[in-house]
């Protein structure tokens, strides 16, 4: 059935009030009908549906369709919580609901029906009865065929209609090219938790660290795992999966887990996540509004960013993740418990300038100022290798309609090849109109380092073998504690591009 035919059929009805158009659908052994005027189209069940945490059980998730985020409602689970989940052979009817698009899952589509008033009957329910989603019935074929009429207004309640409409309106004011020319590019860090991908805006993040020793606190709860020592103060650590009410493994921290340290108002909070993945750049109009069917922490969901290879990323409004009461409890509680450390950390913050670095590995550890990196992406097999390229060049990558030269740093500096490129990352840098991607073994953390921890590289390193990547770096930083200290070379993109001038003369 082509639901686009509904508009034409409705016009043919001649405006007669006694006749109404419906689209029919099948679920289990039942046939349902929806008013044709609210049906936008019918699509196959998408290959990828992203779970939306803190949603009701009948919400399968969401997917993007031509620039809109579509929540997917499982009608069977709306009626019965124990009903089976959707499968790949199901269909989705896209409804225009309060100017917001919603998807309803059915097993199969039927036809467009022109139904006279004599074949329709309305049902009356007591106030609050859940079965009010059935607005009435249609009897056809002399009573042999019964269809239940669904009432979308009774089925669904979208909690953030004004937010969705406001973002839709702002996104349609300017053409994309004109908007991007007039706006500032933003960055976010994507991470995994509770089976979904999320992102914090870069400006919100103080640091990303491996999971340290966590200490018990009287503030411990299901949400707060405990506290950690962070730059002289005691910082509460929140389990992000618990915040999303997801099931917990009960096991200790894994090597992939990280703590993202975020500034919420005047309080620093650490969020434990399963892994930190990439740096993603975006423009404000690329944040698609998510129609929400739940009030639970609804303000934290700022929208959805879709990227090829990364899928749908749930972009978070970091200031709305915790309530004001939760923030005050963590801030004041730890300040009362550990006043000396908190005051010392606050005073030290103003003594030295601090910079944000991405730490990564190319056989040995390096750090690069975050402003030198445009974004970080996973290494993939989508790289093409034209003939006649230098050995250090892996190939070309088409990244959102711009060709990126991918440079293998190990090959450029005669290091042994990386045994497994599956964990490899590509640092995208930009110089003028040219973009380059540097293949590195892995990206470790994002750290805020004081200038007092940055010093000139020893002469023996700078004048050593030119086949050593560290010889291109003028400075180093010292991180860690006395018990576990690490020294990293500060990666200078400009120095590396100078070396590339000889290997890639056409890109000089």
């Amino acid at each position: 059935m082509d639901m686009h035919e509904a508009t034409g059929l409705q016009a043919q009805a001649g405006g007669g009030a006694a006749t109404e158009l419906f689209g029919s659908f099948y679920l289990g052994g039942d046939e349902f009908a929806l008013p044709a005027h609210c049906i936008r189209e019918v699509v196959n069940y998408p290959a990828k549906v992203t779970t939306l945490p803190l949603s009701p059980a009948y919400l399968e998730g969401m997917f993007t369709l031509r620039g809109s985020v579509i929540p997917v409602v499982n009608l069977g689970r709306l009626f019965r919580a124990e009903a089976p989940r959707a499968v790949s052979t199901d269909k989705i009817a896209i409804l225009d609901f309060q100017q917001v698009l919603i998807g309803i899952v059915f097993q199969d589509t039927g036809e467009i029906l022109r139904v006279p008033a004599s074949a329709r009957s309305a049902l009356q329910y007591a106030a609050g009865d859940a079965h009010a989603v059935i607005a009435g019935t249609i009897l056809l074929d002399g009573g042999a065929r019964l269809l239940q009429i669904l009432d979308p207004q009774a089925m669904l309640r979208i909690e953030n209609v004004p937010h969705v409409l406001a973002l839709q309106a702002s996104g349609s004011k300017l053409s994309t090219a004109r908007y991007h020319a007039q706006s500032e590019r933003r960055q976010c860090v994507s991470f995994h938790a509770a089976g979904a991908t999320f992102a914090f805006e870069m400006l919100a993040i103080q640091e990303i660290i491996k999971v340290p020793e966590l200490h018990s606190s009287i503030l411990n709860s299901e949400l707060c795992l405990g506290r950690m020592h962070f730059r002289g103060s005691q910082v509460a650590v929140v389990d992000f999966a618990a915040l999303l009410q997801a099931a917990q493994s009960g096991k200790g921290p894994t090597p992939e887990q990280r703590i993202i340290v975020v500034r919420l108002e005047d309080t620093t909070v650490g969020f434990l996540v399963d892994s930190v993945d990439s740096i993603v750049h975006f423009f404000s109009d690329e944040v698609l509004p998510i129609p929400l069917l739940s009030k639970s922490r609804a303000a934290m969901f700022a929208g959805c960013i879709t990227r090829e290879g990364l899928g749908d990323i749930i972009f978070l409004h970091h200031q709305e993740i915790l309530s004001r009461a939760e923030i005050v409890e963590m801030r004041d509680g730890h300040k009362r418990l550990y006043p000396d450390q908190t005051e010392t950390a606050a005073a030290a913050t103003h003594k030295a300038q601090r910079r944000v670095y991405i730490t990564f590995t190319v056989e040995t550890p390096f750090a690069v100022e975050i402003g030198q990196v445009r974004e970080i992406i996973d290494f993939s097999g989508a790289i093409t290798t034209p003939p006649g390229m230098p050995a250090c060049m892996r190939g070309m990558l088409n990244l959102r309609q711009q060709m990126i030269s991918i440079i293998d740093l190990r090959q450029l500096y005669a290091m042994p090849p990386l045994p497994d490129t599956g964990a490899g990352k590509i640092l995208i840098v930009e110089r003028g109109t040219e973009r380059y991607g540097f293949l590195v073994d892995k990206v470790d953390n994002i750290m805020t380092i004081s200038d007092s921890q940055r010093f000139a590289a020893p002469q023996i390193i700078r004048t050593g073998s030119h086949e050593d990547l560290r010889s291109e770096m003028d400075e180093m930083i010292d991180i860690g504690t006395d018990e576990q200290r690490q020294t990293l070379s500060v990666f200078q993109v400009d120095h590396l591009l100078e070396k590339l001038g000889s290997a890639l003369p056409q890109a000089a």
Side-chain angles (χ1 to χ4, degrees):
M1 174 184 65
D2 186 354
M3 291 301 176
H4 292 294
E5 297 174 3
T7 304
L9 288 173
Q10 199 161 19
Q12 295 172 21
T19 301
E20 188 175 353
L21 291 177
F22 290 88
S24 68
F25 304 87
Y26 293 92
L27 182 66
D30 297 322
E31 188 175 11
F32 295 88
L34 280 164
H37 65 80
C38 73
I39 303 173
R40 178 72 66 88
E41 62 182 303
V42 175
V43 299
N44 292 326
Y45 199 83
K48 173 65 176 175
V49 173
T50 300
T51 301
L52 188 60
L54 301 175
S55 297
Y58 58 78
L59 188 74
E60 292 285 342
M62 65 180 191
F63 72 104
T64 53
L65 179 69
R66 292 189 291 277
S68 294
V69 176
I70 312 292
V72 179
V73 173
N74 186 326
L75 186 62
R77 292 174 70 85
L78 184 64
F79 293 143
R80 295 185 300 109
E82 68 275 13
R85 303 202 69 90
V87 296
S88 60
T89 55
D90 287 341
K91 305 288 185 182
I92 296 179
I94 308 297
L95 307 188
D96 195 336
F97 176 76
Q98 299 175 3
Q99 303 179 61
V100 175
L101 300 183
I102 298 290
I104 305 293
V105 176
F106 290 93
Q107 290 173 343
D108 206 355
T109 56
E111 56 189 312
I112 293 291
L113 302 169
R114 184 185 298 173
V115 182
S118 60
R120 306 194 305 266
S121 62
L123 300 179
Q124 301 295 325
Y125 296 96
D129 193 321
H131 293 285
V133 296
I134 306 298
T137 60
I138 298 173
L139 280 176
L140 300 176
D141 301 338
R145 183 180 179 188
L146 173 68
L147 294 85
Q148 301 172 71
I149 302 173
L150 297 173
D151 181 0
Q153 301 293 332
M155 277 197 299
L156 305 170
R157 176 179 174 82
I158 301 174
E159 300 294 338
N160 63 335
V161 167
H163 171 73
V164 173
L165 297 182
L167 281 182
Q168 288 175 345
S170 64
S172 62
K173 287 179 181 177
L174 294 170
S175 69
T176 299
R178 182 181 170 197
Y179 179 89
H180 290 179
Q182 298 177 5
S183 62
E184 183 179 355
R185 187 180 66 202
R186 299 159 66 185
Q187 287 184 316
C188 62
V189 175
S190 67
F191 62 92
H192 265 78
T197 304
F198 301 87
F200 282 126
E201 187 147 18
M202 183 72 74
L203 297 175
I205 299 175
Q206 286 187 273
E207 202 158 316
I208 298 175
I209 60 176
K210 294 181 179 179
V211 182
E213 181 182 2
L214 298 182
H215 304 277
S216 183
S217 165
I218 62 172
L219 300 178
N220 279 24
S221 63
E222 279 190 15
L223 199 62
C224 183
L225 292 175
R227 56 187 171 87
M228 66 176 183
H229 297 291
F230 179 73
R231 305 200 177 282
S233 63
Q234 302 293 325
V235 171
V237 177
V238 171
D239 188 335
F240 200 82
L243 183 135
L244 300 174
Q245 299 178 8
Q248 306 299 297
S249 67
K251 300 178 181 178
T254 66
E256 294 77 24
Q257 285 187 305
R258 293 291 185 269
I259 290 180
I260 304 178
V261 183
V262 177
R263 189 73 175 172
L264 305 180
E265 298 182 6
D266 53 356
T267 304
T268 300
V269 177
F271 291 98
L272 176 68
V273 302
D274 293 339
S275 65
V276 172
D277 303 316
S278 297
I279 293 178
V280 179
H281 85 281
F282 65 100
F283 291 95
S284 296
D285 69 330
E286 294 181 296
V287 181
L288 305 177
I290 303 173
L292 299 172
L293 280 70
S294 171
K295 290 183 178 180
S296 182
R297 299 191 189 271
M300 70 184 275
F301 299 107
C304 174
I305 300 172
T306 300
R307 284 288 181 270
E308 186 176 350
L310 298 178
D312 294 334
I313 302 169
I314 301 171
F315 182 55
L316 300 171
H317 188 333
H318 64 279
Q319 295 290 10
E320 301 291 343
I321 290 179
L322 299 174
S323 69
R324 179 62 186 167
E326 289 169 328
I327 292 173
V328 168
E329 180 184 5
M330 292 182 186
R331 180 197 65 198
D332 293 350
H334 284 103
K335 190 171 183 179
R336 287 193 300 268
L337 288 169
Y338 312 100
D340 293 336
Q341 295 95 323
T342 303
E343 291 166 7
T344 301
T349 301
H350 304 286
K351 288 184 179 179
Q353 183 179 353
R354 306 177 72 82
R355 307 188 199 195
V356 180
Y357 295 86
I358 299 168
T359 64
F360 63 93
T361 300
V362 183
E363 197 168 71
T364 58
F366 292 85
V368 60
E369 282 190 59
I370 202 163
Q372 294 196 44
V373 178
R374 187 176 190 272
E375 63 183 300
I376 299 174
I377 61 175
D378 292 328
F379 179 77
S380 71
I383 297 173
T384 58
T385 308
M389 290 193 309
C392 66
M393 190 169 169
R394 274 289 181 127
M396 305 295 294
L397 173 67
N398 187 340
L399 183 65
R400 294 184 290 280
Q401 287 72 57
Q402 185 160 5
M403 297 307 295
I404 313 291
S405 302
I406 306 301
I407 309 302
D408 187 334
L409 293 179
R410 281 179 167 267
Q411 181 69 39
L412 182 63
Y413 286 92
M415 301 179 195
L418 188 63
D420 178 17
T421 57
K425 295 283 187 179
I426 297 176
L427 308 184
I428 305 295
V429 302
E430 194 172 51
R431 286 299 177 272
T433 59
E434 295 291 331
R435 290 183 190 173
Y436 299 90
F438 296 126
L439 175 61
V440 303
D441 302 356
K442 62 178 180 174
V443 171
D444 299 308
N445 291 309
I446 295 177
M447 309 188 75
T448 303
I449 306 296
S450 169
D451 277 355
S452 63
Q453 297 170 269
R454 183 167 174 158
F455 55 90
Q459 191 69 19
I460 190 172
I461 292 181
R462 284 184 284 169
T463 58
S465 169
H466 289 292
E467 297 302 317
D468 188 337
L469 178 56
R470 293 176 299 173
S471 67
E472 306 289 343
M473 313 308 162
D474 299 332
E475 295 180 302
M476 310 188 84
I477 55 176
D478 194 33
I479 62 174
T481 63
D482 291 335
E483 293 79 18
Q484 190 175 5
R485 187 165 297 281
Q486 190 176 28
T487 302
L488 299 86
S489 295
V490 177
F491 192 78
Q492 296 292 337
V493 172
D494 289 336
H495 289 2
L496 194 59
L497 291 179
E498 289 176 12
K499 183 177 179 67
L500 278 174
S502 57
L504 303 173
Q506 71 278 12

